[in-house]
Structure formats: structure tokens, C-alpha cells
Amino acid sequence: MSDQDPIAQTEVPTENPRKPVSLLGWTLSVLAVIALVASGWYAWSAYDRVRRSESELARAAALLEEAEEDLLLVDDAVQVEIGATVASSTVEAVDLATSVRDDAQEASEIIDEVLDILPEDRVAYAEALKDSADARVEMMDLAPEILEADIRAATAIQYADQAVAEIKASEDLSAQAVAEFNKHTADGVRASDALSVQAEGKLQAAQSLIASATASFPGADFTAFTGYVEAKISLIALAKEIDAVWLAGDIAGSNAKLDTYNQRDAEVVAMAQALPASVRDPIANAYNAETADASKRYFDARERARTAGERVGELREAAADD
């Protein structure tokens, strides 16, 4: 080889090229892992939601069960017939109704929140439980209105009964006054006048008591009784005039007034016969008018609660048998 020859190029051994990593394959692998993790997370999340919904449903049922005893106390108080005595249970029931209502409302709201999450085989039970809760809410909304009317009516009855006692006492005193006057002696007439004064005081007390009864239950119409008492007071005033004229020595004048007295006495007797059978009747009539709507709605809701409660019991038994 001469110096003039081109430089001979030696062969340089070539390296084997690296195989490129497949980006697509790697990406698919990552996505598969992500999908697997997501699938597991969603499955666990769905299971956890169902588990929580079952737990919340049990909490709603527990709220209703724990309030059951108080609910029954309120229900018993609502059904007690009104009388002259305000039962302590009636006063207590007014306060209990609020707490029972709050528990039932909370139970209903809990069921609302989980109803779409529960397993299909638990939906009917949850709906029945919610029906029971909603019916209880309405019952307890209405119960205080009825119970407070019971308390006011009982108070009015106490005053009205006392008024009748005063009226009867007055009538007895007036009868004694007539008997004393009919002795036609000065002592007898003076005794008659003293008894008439006592009878008048009894009637004035009756007026005050009837006014208190009316204030306790404003819807009660005691017009017949107040009219009778006023007529009796007017009759006693006339009897006192007759006594005064007789004691003054004017027997003829006294006898003349007696004719008027006897006529008015007959009118008062007719008024007494036309009075309601009981002084409690005006209160009962007003009470029924005031509470009729609330009572009907209460007992309608009570029936719905009873029906729903039976359904809840049936579904529980069926679930226990499965």
C-alpha cells in the first residue's frame, strides 16, 4: 500500500439496537390497575353505603320504639273524657307530645335520606316505618290542641259546678225566707229579710263564677244561666221591698207587691225549667265545636299509625323467617 493510497477504513463493529418499550402496553397496564382499584373502591363504597343505610334505618326504628311509651301516655290523655279535675297526666302529656313528635319527625327524615340506597327487599319495610312515623308526627301535632282544650274545659267546669252550688244554696235560703215571711210576724219578716240578703250574696257569687267559667272557655254560652241568676236577683230585690213595706206597717202595700212577686216568681220557675239539663252542657257544646276537626284528624292519623305499625310488624316477622 503506498503512501498515496487513501487511508483504509477499518470496520467498526455495530451495537445491537435496544428494543423500544411499548408505551401503549404500559398505558394499558396502568389503566387496568386503575380500573381494578376503582372497581374495588366503588364496590366497597356501594357496600358501605348500603351498610350505613341499614344502620340509619335501624336508628330510625329505635327512635320510634323508644318514644312508644310516651306516645301511649299522650294517646291515653287525649282519650280521657273531660271532667272537673285536670289530670296530671293531661298536663304532662302536652309536654310529652312535643318530644314524641320530634323523634318521629327525625325518624321520618332519616328514612327519607336512605330510602333510595336500601336494598330492594328492605324498601317496603322502610316505607311502612316512614308511614308510621309520619302518622305519629300528625298525631303529636294535634294532641296539644286537644289537651289544652281539655284543661280549659276542666277549669270552666270547676267554676260552673261551683256556680250551680251557689244557686242551689240561694234557692234554699229563698225558700226559708218565704217560710219566715208567711209567719206574718215582725220577727219572721225580719228573719225573711236577712235570709234574702244571704240568698242575694249567693247569687252574686254565682254570677262571678259563671264569668270565670266563660273566661276559661270563651266559646261556652251561659246566657240561659246568667239570665236566670239575674232574674232571681231581681226577684229577691222585690222580696226585700215587700219585707220593708210590711215592717213599715203598710200591710196593704205589702200585699199589693206580693201579687207582682208571685207573677215574677212563676216566670223565674219557667226559666229554671228551660235551663239546659246541666251547667256543663254549654262547655261540652263549645268544646266539641272547637275540637271536632282536630279530633277527627287525630283519630284518622291514629288509625294510619296503627295500620302502618301492623305492617311493620308483619315485615319484621317475614324478614326474621327468611
Side-chain angles (χ1 to χ4, degrees):
M1 178 179 303
S2 68
D3 292 338
Q4 306 299 316
D5 289 335
I7 297 173
Q9 296 184 358
T10 59
E11 278 189 27
V12 179
T14 60
E15 296 181 357
N16 292 329
R18 294 179 181 175
K19 294 181 179 179
V21 177
S22 172
L23 180 59
L24 178 60
W26 181 85
T27 301
L28 290 175
S29 297
V30 171
L31 289 175
V33 171
I34 292 173
L36 184 62
V37 171
S39 174
W41 185 85
Y42 281 118
W44 180 88
S45 177
Y47 165 78
D48 187 58
R49 289 179 70 210
V50 170
R51 181 182 62 81
R52 288 176 180 272
S53 69
E54 289 277 13
S55 176
E56 286 294 275
L57 183 62
R59 185 163 74 89
L63 280 170
L64 296 180
E65 288 172 6
E66 289 166 5
E68 183 77 15
E69 184 177 346
D70 288 345
L71 173 74
L72 294 176
L73 288 173
V74 175
D75 187 54
D76 286 344
V78 168
Q79 297 186 71
V80 169
E81 186 175 349
I82 60 170
T85 303
V86 180
S88 59
S89 59
T90 301
V91 178
E92 179 187 6
V94 174
D95 294 328
L96 285 178
T98 300
S99 63
V100 173
R101 183 212 176 280
D102 290 346
D103 286 343
Q105 183 64 45
E106 184 178 356
S108 178
E109 291 171 357
I110 290 170
I111 297 168
D112 262 341
E113 291 174 1
V114 302
L115 201 54
D116 294 336
I117 306 169
L118 289 166
E120 187 176 347
D121 61 353
R122 298 289 282 162
V123 171
Y125 169 75
E127 288 177 339
L129 200 63
K130 178 171 167 52
D131 287 344
S132 176
D134 290 343
R136 292 181 183 207
V137 169
E138 185 170 3
M139 286 173 65
M140 296 301 103
D141 274 339
L142 295 165
E145 180 180 342
I146 298 169
L147 294 170
E148 285 165 3
D150 288 351
I151 293 169
R152 288 187 290 108
T155 303
I157 286 172
Q158 291 174 14
Y159 287 126
D161 285 354
Q162 291 172 37
V164 168
E166 295 290 346
I167 291 170
K168 287 181 177 178
S170 170
E171 289 171 345
D172 290 342
L173 289 166
S174 291
Q176 293 175 48
V178 170
E180 289 294 332
F181 180 86
N182 286 338
K183 292 178 181 178
H184 301 299
T185 64
D187 287 343
V189 174
R190 278 192 287 269
S192 174
D193 189 66
L195 289 165
S196 291
V197 171
Q198 293 178 51
E200 187 177 41
K202 294 291 184 182
L203 289 172
Q204 289 168 345
Q207 281 184 314
S208 178
L209 289 163
I210 291 173
S212 295
T214 303
S216 298
F217 213 102
D221 183 5
F222 291 104
T223 302
F225 289 96
T226 55
Y228 173 72
V229 170
E230 287 168 1
K232 288 284 289 182
I233 290 174
S234 177
L235 188 65
I236 288 174
L238 182 56
K240 290 163 64 180
E241 286 180 19
I242 293 169
D243 293 339
V245 171
W246 195 98
L247 290 170
D250 187 357
I251 306 301
S254 174
N255 289 336
K257 287 181 177 292
L258 270 173
D259 290 337
T260 303
Y261 177 91
N262 289 332
Q263 181 182 347
R264 289 189 185 177
D265 184 51
E267 293 170 356
V268 171
V269 169
M271 290 178 71
Q273 292 172 343
L275 289 173
S278 169
V279 73
R280 296 184 179 190
D281 286 354
I283 301 167
N285 294 337
Y287 174 87
N288 290 336
E290 182 176 315
T291 63
D293 179 64
S295 292
K296 182 182 183 306
R297 289 164 56 203
Y298 177 89
F299 285 103
D300 286 348
R302 185 176 186 272
E303 179 59 22
R304 291 199 304 275
R306 185 193 65 79
T307 302
E310 288 181 353
R311 180 66 175 151
V312 168
E314 290 169 359
L315 291 168
R316 277 179 178 166
E317 289 179 9
D321 290 340
D322 291 343

